[in-house]
C-alpha cells in the first residue's frame, strides 16, 4: 500500500526547474451527458479541453488521448485501444505516444482529465514542484473532501510505465481496469490546492454549476481576461487593478470593467500579430467579439434554465390553488 504525505497549499508554486510532459485524457463516452462531446463543451466561452491545455501550457510535450479536434495550442494525439477502454488504457496510449515523440523525456509527466474547468497553471506548477521536493514516484491532488485525484497528478514516467506494463501482463488488458490498481502500487505523495482545481464536469448539472461559478463576482473578471488572452494568443501578465484604476481615473468610474480591459488586449494583440494595422485590429476585434457572444449565449441559456425551473415549481393552470371568475359566478 502506498505511503501518503500531504503538503500544505501555501502560495502558488513558482515555476519548477524540472521540465515536464503532459498527458490529457479526453476520451470516454460521457454517458451521464447523454453522449455529448464533453471536451468540446464550453465553460466561460472556451472548450473544457482548451481550458486544461491552457493550464499545462508549460509542458514540453502534450499528448491528448481521444478523438482529434481543433485545439487552442499544438498537441500530439493518441487513441486508447479499444476506444473508450477507460483511463488506464488511455494513459498507456498517452505514455506510448510520448515514448515515440521527438525530444528527450523530462523527469515528470502530468496526468490530467480534460473536464477540469478550474484547473490553473498555479496548481500544475504546485504538482510539479511537490514531486521535485518529495522524491516519490508521484504526487496526487487531494480534493476538499480529502479524496485522491489520480487524474490531477504528476508522476515519474519510468514507474508509471512499469506499473502499466505489470498490470497489462497480470490482467491481459488494461481496458476497463480501475485507476486504483495503478495508484495502489506507486509510492505517492499528496498535495492540496485551490478547492475548485479538481472540480470535474460529469453531468449537465456540473456544467451548469461551472458556468455559474465562473460568473460569480469574485471570478468573472479574471476568467474573462484569461479567456480573451487565450483566444487572442496573448501571453501577458495583465495588472487588472492598475488598468481599472487608470480607466476609472480617465472616465470618472468604470461601469463595465470588462470593456476597457478587453479593448486593451485587442490593441496589444493587434500590435503583436500585425504591427497594429487596420487588418490586425479588425481580426483581433472579431475574435474578442465572438468570445463575448459566446459568453452572452451561455448567460441566456442559464436564464432560460432558471425560468424553466421556476415554471415547473409554480402551480399549473390559471385556476390552480384558487377560484376562477366562472367559479365565482
Amino acid at each position: 500500500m502506498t505511503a501518503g504525505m500531504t503538503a500544505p497549499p501555501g502560495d502558488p508554486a513558482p515555476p519548477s526547474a524540472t521540465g515536464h510532459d503532459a498527458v490529457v485524457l479526453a476520451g470516454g463516452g460521457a454517458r451521464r451527458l447523454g453522449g455529448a462531446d464533453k471536451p468540446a463543451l464550453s465553460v466561460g466561452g472556451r472548450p473544457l479541453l482548451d481550458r486544461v491545455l491552457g493550464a499545462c501550457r508549460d509542458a514540453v510535450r502534450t499528448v491528448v488521448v481521444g478523438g482529434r479536434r481543433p485545439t487552442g495550442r499544438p498537441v500530439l494525439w493518441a487513441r486508447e485501444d479499444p476506444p473508450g477502454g477507460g483511463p488506464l488504457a488511455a494513459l498507456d496510449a498517452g505514455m506510448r505516444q510520448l515514448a515515440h515523440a521527438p525530444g528527450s523525456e523530462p523527469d515528470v509527466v502530468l496526468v490530467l482529465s480534460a473536464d477540469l474547468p478550474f484547473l490553473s497553471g498555479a496548481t500544475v506548477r504546485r504538482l510539479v514542484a511537490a514531486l521535485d521536493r518529495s522524491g516519490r514516484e508521484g504526487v496526487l491532488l487531494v480534493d476538499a473532501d480529502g479524496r485522491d485525484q489520480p487524474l490531477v497528478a504528476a508522476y515519474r514516467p519510468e514507474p508509471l510505465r512499469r506499473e502499466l506494463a505489470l498490470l497489462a501482463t497480470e490482467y491481459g488488458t488494461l481496458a476497463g481496469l480501475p485507476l486504483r490498481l495503478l495508484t495502489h502500487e506507486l509510492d505517492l505523495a499528496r498535495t492540496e490546492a485551490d478547492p475548485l482545481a479538481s472540480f470535474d464536469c460529469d453531468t449537465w448539472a456540473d456544467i451548469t454549476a461551472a458556468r455559474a461559478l465562473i460568473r460569480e463576482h469574485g471570478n468573472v473578471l479574471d476568467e474573462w481576461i484569461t479567456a480573451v488572452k487565450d483566444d487572442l494568443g496573448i501571453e501577458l501578465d495583465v495588472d487588472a487593478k492598475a488598468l481599472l484604476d487608470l480607466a476609472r481615473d480617465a472616465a470618472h468610474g468604470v461601469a463595465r470593467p470588462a470593456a476597457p480591459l478587453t479593448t486593451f488586449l485587442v490593441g496589444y494583440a493587434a500590435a503583436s500579430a500585425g504591427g497594429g494595422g487596420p487588418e490586425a485590429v479588425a481580426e483581433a476585434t472579431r475574435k474578442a467579439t465572438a468570445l463575448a457572444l459566446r459568453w452572452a449565449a451561455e448567460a441566456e441559456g442559464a436564464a432560460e434554465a432558471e425560468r424553466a425551473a421556476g415554471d415547473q415549481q409554480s402551480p399549473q393552470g390559471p385556476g390552480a390553488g384558487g377560484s376562477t371568475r366562472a367559479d365565482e359566478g
Side-chain angles (χ1 to χ4, degrees):
M1 182 66 73
T2 300
M5 179 185 73
T6 300
D11 296 325
S16 169
T18 300
H20 59 274
D21 287 335
V23 174
V24 180
L25 308 189
R31 288 183 294 275
R32 285 190 280 175
L33 286 165
D37 184 6
K38 181 163 65 170
L41 292 178
S42 172
V43 173
R46 291 186 291 158
L48 285 170
L49 176 58
D50 277 347
R51 296 182 71 86
V52 173
L53 292 177
C56 62
R57 67 170 64 251
D58 292 337
V60 177
R61 303 173 299 179
T62 299
V63 173
V64 177
V65 185
R68 287 176 177 264
R69 66 193 66 235
T71 55
R73 50 174 285 239
V75 299
L76 302 168
W77 292 96
R79 197 68 166 132
E80 70 271 33
D81 185 20
L88 283 185
L91 179 52
D92 184 63
M95 295 302 294
R96 289 178 184 275
Q97 179 66 286
L98 284 177
H100 294 95
S104 58
E105 182 169 80
D107 295 333
V108 178
V109 58
L110 290 163
V111 175
L112 306 167
S113 60
D115 61 349
L116 302 166
F118 302 108
L119 183 69
S120 68
T123 295
V124 165
R125 292 191 295 273
R126 177 168 302 286
L127 286 167
V128 174
L131 186 57
D132 282 349
R133 293 192 303 267
S134 71
R136 313 292 268 276
E137 294 179 331
V139 171
L140 307 182
L141 188 70
V142 177
D143 68 17
D145 295 323
R147 294 173 298 197
D148 288 348
Q149 299 295 320
L151 296 183
V152 193
Y155 299 95
R156 304 286 181 194
E158 192 281 325
L160 200 57
R161 290 196 174 94
R162 177 195 72 216
E163 296 303 329
L164 286 169
L166 289 172
L167 286 171
T169 299
E170 181 177 355
Y171 290 91
T173 180
L174 294 173
L177 296 181
L179 268 171
R180 65 176 180 273
L181 293 178
L182 174 70
T183 56
H184 283 181
E185 299 302 325
L186 292 170
D187 179 24
L188 300 175
R190 287 159 177 82
T191 190
E192 300 170 357
D194 181 339
L196 286 177
S198 60
F199 182 106
D200 57 357
C201 294
D202 290 328
T203 67
W204 285 112
D206 294 335
I207 294 290
T208 300
R211 290 171 174 173
L213 283 168
I214 276 190
R215 290 182 171 274
E216 286 185 350
H217 177 70
N219 299 326
V220 63
L221 193 56
D222 286 342
E223 288 285 352
W224 167 249
I225 296 305
T226 298
V228 173
K229 290 193 295 183
D230 280 357
D231 269 34
L232 298 183
I234 300 172
E235 294 189 14
L236 173 71
D237 288 331
V238 177
D239 187 341
K241 183 180 183 304
L243 289 172
L244 286 173
D245 286 346
L246 175 61
R248 181 199 61 205
D249 293 340
H252 306 288
V254 178
R256 298 180 182 271
L261 288 172
T262 305
T263 54
F264 165 79
L265 292 173
V266 165
Y268 184 88
S272 300
E279 296 83 5
V281 173
E283 178 62 7
T285 301
R286 181 192 67 77
K287 289 183 176 181
T289 300
L291 180 61
L293 291 174
R294 294 200 295 274
W295 274 61
E298 286 185 13
E300 291 172 3
E304 289 174 2
E306 290 178 2
R307 286 195 294 270
D311 290 342
Q312 291 173 358
Q313 295 172 4
S314 63
Q316 299 299 312
S323 64
T324 64
R325 289 187 179 272
D327 293 332
E328 296 170 356

